[in-house]
Amino acid sequence: MAGEIDIATAPQLQDAAYQALLDGASSLVIDLTDTGFIDSSGLRVMVNVLKRVAAVPARSLHVVRPAPPVMKVFELTRLDSTFSMIDSVSALPPVQAEDRERRA
């Protein structure tokens, strides 16, 4: 995701993530590196995606650590401890490297 995740763009994130899961992805990576803003609708989508992923034990969701302003929102809402935050896509655990192409 690049730019802003807000009421106008959050549905696109949700659709992409859900489609990846329907296509059989066992792990998702949501790269927020280039995201400069996220609002409550974006956070809601992130939580909904996490719930969908968690419904199947073999699935995982990783979030590439966003820029400081967006990271602050995750910290204030304590979602930074809820999501698996990684520093880069290359920091993925080796067992999940084969699913990198299915990033949302």
Side-chain angles (χ1 to χ4, degrees):
M1 293 297 297
E4 300 181 351
I5 303 175
D6 57 20
I7 195 163
T9 60
Q12 296 167 354
L13 171 60
Q14 181 171 295
D15 291 347
Y18 286 3
Q19 188 60 54
L21 294 172
L22 286 172
D23 290 345
S26 61
S27 68
L28 292 179
V29 176
I30 298 177
D31 189 343
L32 298 180
T33 305
D34 296 326
T35 302
F37 175 82
I38 190 167
D39 70 3
S40 60
S41 59
L43 292 175
R44 184 185 74 249
V45 164
M46 295 288 294
V47 170
N48 288 341
V49 170
L50 180 60
K51 286 179 182 178
R52 256 279 163 122
V53 168
V56 178
R59 289 183 178 164
S60 63
L61 171 64
H62 301 280
V63 177
V64 178
R65 195 172 306 277
V70 174
M71 190 63 199
K72 181 135 182 119
V73 173
F74 277 86
E75 291 167 351
L76 288 171
T77 58
R78 298 185 189 243
L79 289 174
D80 62 318
S81 61
T82 302
F83 288 94
S84 169
M85 296 282 190
I86 58 175
D87 291 327
S88 68
V89 173
S90 62
L92 278 173
V95 79
Q96 293 161 345
E98 67 274 3
D99 285 334
R100 286 185 186 166
E101 309 80 57
R102 299 181 191 220
R103 286 181 275 157

